[in-house]
């Protein structure tokens, strides 16, 4: 009888209700996030063999100092930097142009540029694999042959830039429209009287862009930077699909997560795999914290 | 402010238009080339790669006829993808709205800390914890089930964030009015607030649904029975170095994208709202 009353009254009280509302998050967070992170930390100091798991101290991390892992880190860094270099300025300019009063067909172009974001990485990846095929008849090579360029082995060819070019193209194709949408929604929040005031003060359109638009779009830029770092350092499937698996000639498409996948799944070396995961966690968090601090996000509060 | 909508084709507009037409053509080229390829025999794609040649003598709808003949596992994957997408979308929306409501409407201890946790997960790539998560899913006997795919992500940080932002705009007087009328705390959520959230559900529903439909890595790790594979996993399994499955692969790929594009064209507004959700800071 008492219990029944308790069930009837306590969860319904205004004090307890908020915890009931957020309880699904707390449960999922603890079970499917905190627990795996803790077990990553523990396993990264272990050699995990079913039945006899032993602590090996820092051995897993010492193993990370090999050429494959540094190659993977380097690949992810180049990828992250190049994608940011393209996918922030270009969408910014395109969205400003799309938003201008002189532009026509704004919605149609926005929709077309967004279409690639609807395609799964599997379909996008093998489509680009075929576009970047090494045969003379593959799309890109056949276009280039009109300009007298000899067929290029794009993926994993002798020159490294061709692989990065393919990855960058795939990434830009998929995310250009999304970033444009972020910037367009940011542009809506800039009050028009700012531009009018600037206009009265005799500012040209370049000055307006520099002194009003770009500074006021900063929150959007910071958001895109954050997700680009996240996505760039964790990039795996793009390379996995372009190279049709986790093996690429000379490690041209090897990534940190690809290396984790190779060791954790293909070689069942879970301790070592965890050390890679933990390292990636520290890199991602570190870069993001530095970036956010540098961008002054912490200062602004909220 | 009179409507200044008379479109004058100034040179500036012309240059901008040209630029965007070029961008649009580049963006659409992969779509067009993969569609053209789906009309050609798979072996030829293997031999020549993807091109834009329009040799109508080798083009036909044979690949699609074969696809729809039911001789392949394609429609099993299709069915599985539809089920997973539907269940995941409904559950994630419901749970995230519930949680977002808690964050938006109440003040309680540890609220800020817990909300920081939501933002924190948004910054952590899931791939980092996929090894221990996989072991956990095995321990929980969720391996090779759709629950193993869905449950770890059922309280999605972005939907929670979005719903919290959305609900912050609803005046709290609504809640007090509900309380006066004798609604319980949950009654207020289900009877009063839930109906107000329709636009938010539409935007996030499309966002979550699209990600679920296209999700690849985690489902590939969790699901391994042949009859449980989803579209992306199934299509990926068809990619072999010998190219002997290209007929089904390419037609199947096109047919997996078409419904999403149709939905997008119908509900563009909500797609864009869902996408832009992440970029809008609170």
């Amino acid at each position: 009888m008492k219990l029944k009353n308790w069930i009837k009254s306590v969860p319904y009280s205004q004090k307890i209700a908020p915890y009931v509302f957020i309880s699904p998050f707390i449960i999922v967070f603890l079970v499917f996030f905190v627990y795996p992170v803790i077990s990553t930390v523990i396993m990264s100091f272990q050699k995990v063999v079913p039945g006899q798991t032993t602590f090996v101290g820092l051995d897993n991390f010492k193993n990370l100092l090999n050429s494959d892992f540094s190659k993977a880190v380097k690949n992810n860094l180049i990828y992250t930097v190049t994608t940011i270099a393209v996918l922030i300025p270009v969408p910014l300019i395109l969205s400003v142009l799309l938003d201008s009063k002189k532009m026509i067909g704004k919605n149609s172009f926005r929709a077309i540029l967004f279409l690639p974001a609807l395609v799964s990485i599997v379909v996008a990846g093998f489509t680009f694999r075929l576009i970047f095929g090494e045969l003379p008849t593959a799309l890109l090579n056949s276009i280039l042959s009109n300009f007298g360029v000899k067929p290029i082995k794009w993926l994993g060819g002798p020159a490294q830039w061709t692989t990065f070019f393919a990855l960058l193209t795939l990434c830009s194709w998929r995310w250009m429209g999304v970033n444009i949408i972020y910037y367009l929604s940011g542009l809506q929040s800039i009050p028009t009287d700012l531009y009018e005031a600037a206009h009265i003060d005799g500012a040209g359109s370049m000055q307006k862009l520099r002194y009003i638009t770009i500074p006021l779009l900063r929150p959007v830029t910071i958001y895109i930077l954050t997700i680009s770092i996240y996505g760039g350092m964790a990039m795996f499937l793009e390379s996995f699909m372009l190279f049709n698996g986790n093996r690429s000639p000379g490690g041209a498409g090897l990534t940190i997560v690809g290396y984790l996948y190779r060791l954790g799944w293909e070689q069942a070396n879970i301790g070592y795999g965890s050390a890679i995961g933990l390292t990636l966690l520290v890199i991602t968090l570190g870069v993001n914290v530095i970036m956010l601090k540098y961008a002054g996000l912490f200062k602004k509060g909220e | 402010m009179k409507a200044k909508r008379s479109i004058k084709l100034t040179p500036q507009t012309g240059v901008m238009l040209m630029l965007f037409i070029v961008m649009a053509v580049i963006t659409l080229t992969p779509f067009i080339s993969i569609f053209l390829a789906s009309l050609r025999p798979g072996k030829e794609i293997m031999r020549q790669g993807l091109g834009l040649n329009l040799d109508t003598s080798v083009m036909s709808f044979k690949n699609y006829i074969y696809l729809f003949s039911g001789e392949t596992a394609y429609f099993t994957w299709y069915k599985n993808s539809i089920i997973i997408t539907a269940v995941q979308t409904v559950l994630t929306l419901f749970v995230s709205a519930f949680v977002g409501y808690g964050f938006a409407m109440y003040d309680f201890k540890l609220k800020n800390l817990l909300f920081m946790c939501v933002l924190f997960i948004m910054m952590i790539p899931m791939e980092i914890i996929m090894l221990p998560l996989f072991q956990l899913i095995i321990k929980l006997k969720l391996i090779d089930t759709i629950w193993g795919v869905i449950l770890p992500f059922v309280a999605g940080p972005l939907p929670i964030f979005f719903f919290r932002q959305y609900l912050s705009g609803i005046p709290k007087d609504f809640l007090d009015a509900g309380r006066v009328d004798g609604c319980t705390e949950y009654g207020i959520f289900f009877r009063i607030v839930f109906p107000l959230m329709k636009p938010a559900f539409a935007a996030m529903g499309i966002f979550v649904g699209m990600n679920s439909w296209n999700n690849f890595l985690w489902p590939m790790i969790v699901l391994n029975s042949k009859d449980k594979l989803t579209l992306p996993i199934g299509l990926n399994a068809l990619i072999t170095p010998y190219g002997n499955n290209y007929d089904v692969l390419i037609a199947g790929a096109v047919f997996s994208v078409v419904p999403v594009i149709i939905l997008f064209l119908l509900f563009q507004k909500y797609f864009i709202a869902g996408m832009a959700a992440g970029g809008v800071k609170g």
Side-chain angles (χ1 to χ4, degrees), chain A residues 11 35 102 118 137 139 173 182, chain B residues 13 27 48 50 139 186 214:
Chain A
Y35 172 79
K102 288 176 183 140
L118 305 171
T137 45
L139 187 60
W173 181 74
Y182 290 150
Chain B
T13 309
T27 306
Q48 300 188 345
L50 213 53
K139 270 190 220 153
Y186 311 99
N214 287 334

Side-chain angles (χ1 to χ4, degrees), chain A residues 45-84:
Chain A
F45 297 105
Q46 289 175 330
K47 187 171 174 63
V48 183
V49 183
Q52 46 169 57
T53 300
T54 47
F55 267 90
V56 291
L58 291 171
D59 280 10
N60 289 324
F61 292 96
K62 278 182 201 146
N63 281 340
L64 282 181
L65 301 168
N66 64 40
S67 57
D68 274 352
F69 184 68
S70 51
K71 173 103 190 168
V73 173
K74 203 179 108 198
N75 283 347
N76 276 105
L77 277 176
I78 296 177
Y79 177 81
T80 307
V81 171
T82 49
T83 50
I84 288 174

Side-chain angles (χ1 to χ4, degrees), chain B residues 180-243:
Chain B
V180 171
D181 287 349
C183 269
T184 62
E185 298 298 311
Y186 311 99
I188 294 169
F189 175 70
F190 287 111
R191 297 214 194 108
I192 302 175
V193 178
F194 216 66
L196 294 175
M197 292 178 73
K198 271 184 201 152
F201 279 132
M204 270 299 114
I206 280 167
F207 179 79
V208 174
M210 195 178 79
N211 283 337
S212 176
W213 182 258
N214 287 334
N215 199 2
F216 173 53
L217 186 59
W218 182 243
M220 178 173 75
I221 288 168
V222 174
L223 304 170
N224 37 45
S225 310
K226 265 196 169 156
D227 58 333
K228 287 184 180 158
L229 303 187
T230 61
L231 267 177
I233 315 173
L235 289 174
N236 179 55
L238 290 178
I239 308 174
T240 61
Y242 319 107

Side-chain angles (χ1 to χ4, degrees), chain A residues 11-26 28-29 31-33 35-37 39-40 43 48 90 93-95 97-98 100-105 107 109-123 126-131 135-140 142-143 173 175-176 178 180-182 185 196 219-220 223 226 230 234 236-237 240-241 244 257 260-261 264-265 269-270 273-274 277-278 280-281 284-285 288 292 297 302, chain B residues 1 7 9-10 12-13 16-17 19-21 23-24 26-31 33-34 45-52 95 98-99 101-103 106-110 114 117-118 120-137 139-140 142 151-155 158 160 164 179 184-186 189 210 214 216-217 220-221 232 235-236 239-241 246 249-250 253 256-257 260-261 264 268 271-272 275-282:
Chain A
Y12 283 91
S13 87
Q14 245 188 73
K15 275 214 170 117
I16 301 300
Y19 297 100
V20 176
F21 275 111
I22 56 163
S23 60
F25 171 74
I26 298 176
V28 170
F29 181 66
V31 175
F32 295 114
F33 188 83
Y35 172 79
V37 167
S39 77
T40 298
M43 286 192 303
V48 183
V90 180
I93 291 165
L94 290 180
S95 61
L97 293 179
L98 268 186
S100 94
K101 287 191 191 105
K102 288 176 183 140
M103 187 61 197
I104 48 178
N107 289 344
F109 286 118
R110 184 181 66 177
I112 290 171
L113 292 175
F114 183 76
L115 282 181
L118 305 171
V119 180
S120 84
I121 184 63
V122 174
V123 175
F126 87 72
T127 304
F128 273 72
R129 188 169 132 76
L130 292 171
I131 288 175
L135 297 163
T137 45
L139 187 60
L140 191 59
S142 73
I143 293 172
W173 181 74
W175 297 110
M176 185 70 72
V178 177
I180 286 177
I181 284 175
Y182 290 150
S185 73
E196 280 157 25
V220 183
Y223 177 75
T226 314
Y230 163 114
F236 165 53
L237 288 174
F240 185 82
M241 292 315 303
N244 190 13
V257 174
L260 191 163
Y261 189 80
W265 267 273
N269 194 342
I270 294 167
S274 300
L278 192 61
L280 179 57
L281 180 75
T284 322
L285 269 186
N288 264 324
L292 290 179
L297 201 75
E302 241 281 348
Chain B
M1 277 283 201
I7 299 152
L9 210 60
T10 59
Q12 246 175 316
T13 309
M16 273 155 58
L17 213 50
L19 173 75
F20 277 98
I21 289 170
M23 291 287 301
I26 295 173
T27 306
L28 291 176
T29 302
F31 287 101
S33 57
I34 198 82
I45 310 298
M46 189 58 203
R47 218 178 297 134
Q48 300 188 345
L50 213 53
L52 284 175
V95 171
F98 201 70
V99 175
Y101 178 81
F103 276 120
Y106 295 99
D107 283 311
F108 50 93
K109 270 186 195 165
L110 301 179
L114 285 166
C117 292
V118 176
F120 182 70
I121 318 183
M122 270 205 260
M123 286 206 281
I124 304 298
M126 168 268 156
E127 288 83 354
I128 286 172
I129 53 164
M130 66 184 179
L131 265 174
L133 199 55
F134 173 67
Q135 293 181 313
L136 180 64
I137 293 296
K139 270 190 220 153
L140 296 174
L142 293 174
L151 284 183
F153 306 101
V154 79
L158 189 70
I160 292 177
R164 189 200 82 135
R179 282 181 195 124
T184 62
E185 298 298 311
Y186 311 99
F189 175 70
M210 195 178 79
N214 287 334
F216 173 53
L217 186 59
M220 178 173 75
I221 288 168
L235 289 174
N236 179 55
I239 308 174
T240 61
Y246 274 33
L249 172 64
I250 293 179
S256 77
V257 175
V260 188
I261 292 184
F264 170 68
Q268 220 195 105
F271 265 84
I272 305 235
M275 256 354 255
V280 182
K281 294 284 312 179

